[in-house]
Structure formats: structure tokens, C-alpha cells
Amino acid sequence: MLHPRNYRVNETWIVFKLNDAPISTEKDGDFNCLVLMDAASCFIVSSAMIPASETGPSQLESKRMLRQGKAHKNGLPKELIIPNEQNADFLASEAERQSITIVRFPESQLQVYTKEAREAFRDNFGGARTQ
């Protein structure tokens, strides 16, 4: 079972969508908030607002997210967990290019990480609760 106590800090990061429903703006349209979280500390090391019309982060955004995470943690992880349901092809390619192993799990197995972060996001920015 996945749990923070099973990891060391900066050993593994997890990418997931923080919001339940797209974040709407009048000027720029709808966005999803994608984050990179350290699996041991549950600290969010990077985030990106991705247009809801896109299936995942672009190559440029993927590089930026990893660079931002590296700056926060003084290094890159050994592995990156990507939910099966999350399209993150460019992020996976960029991570592999930087010698990070990609691991995939069903979203349901990541709730120990995603649930509290999503609830906090929802409490601060609104949105419907989903189970």
C-alpha cells in the first residue's frame, strides 16, 4: 500500500491534478492545476496551471515543473508516480530523459496523497466535492 512512511524525502514524487473541476477565468478560459508532490513529506514542490483544453502539460511546462521541483528539493527524485488516468506524456518523457523512473498506479491508490491536498485546494478556491 502506498503511504508516505514507505518513502524517503526526495526519493519519489507524484504528479496529480489538484482540482475537481476546471478553474474558470474570464480572460483566459478554463485551467487545471497540476502539482508535483514529494511522496515522503507530502510537500508540493511544483505546480502548473494547464489549459483544460490540453490533455496534459506541454514539453516546456514539463521541463519547468521538474526544474522548479529540483530547485525546491536540491535535486530530482529517483522515480515519478503518474496516475494511470493522468495524461502526462511530455512530463514522463522529460523525467525519463533526466534518469527518473516512471511508475504508474490507479488514481484510487493515491488517495492517501491526493485527498487532503484536494480538500485544502477546494476549501481555499471553491469547487464541488467529489468522492
Side-chain angles (χ1 to χ4, degrees):
M1 180 174 171
L2 295 174
H3 195 277
R5 70 175 167 259
N6 296 333
Y7 295 96
R8 291 187 318 268
V9 171
N10 210 38
E11 173 184 47
T12 300
W13 291 351
I14 302 166
V15 62
F16 63 94
K17 186 175 75 164
L18 199 53
N19 53 300
D20 297 321
I23 302 157
S24 295
T25 66
E26 285 184 31
K27 183 178 177 185
D28 297 316
D30 295 342
F31 290 88
N32 289 313
C33 184
L34 205 63
V35 298
L36 286 175
M37 176 186 277
D38 181 76
S41 66
C42 294
F43 180 79
I44 294 177
V45 299
S46 181
S47 64
M49 298 301 281
I50 308 296
S53 60
E54 301 294 324
T55 58
S58 67
Q59 184 175 13
L60 183 64
E61 196 60 49
S62 297
K63 287 180 180 184
R64 189 199 63 75
M65 288 181 77
L66 289 171
R67 187 173 53 247
Q68 186 179 44
K70 181 179 180 180
H72 272 290
K73 299 305 265 182
N74 263 345
L76 291 169
K78 293 178 182 168
E79 66 181 11
L80 175 64
I81 297 174
I82 302 175
N84 291 336
E85 300 82 356
Q86 177 67 56
N87 186 334
D89 294 341
F90 284 123
L91 184 60
S93 293
E94 185 59 27
E96 287 176 329
R97 191 183 74 72
Q98 296 190 41
S99 301
I100 300 169
T101 301
I102 303 302
V103 180
R104 293 224 177 230
F105 285 102
E107 176 87 27
S108 61
Q109 291 184 19
L110 300 174
Q111 285 187 11
V112 68
Y113 296 102
T114 61
K115 185 178 180 184
E116 188 175 329
R118 286 180 174 150
E119 287 174 359
F121 186 85
R122 194 179 310 111
D123 290 346
N124 286 299
F125 299 102
R129 287 191 181 264
T130 59
Q131 297 299 326

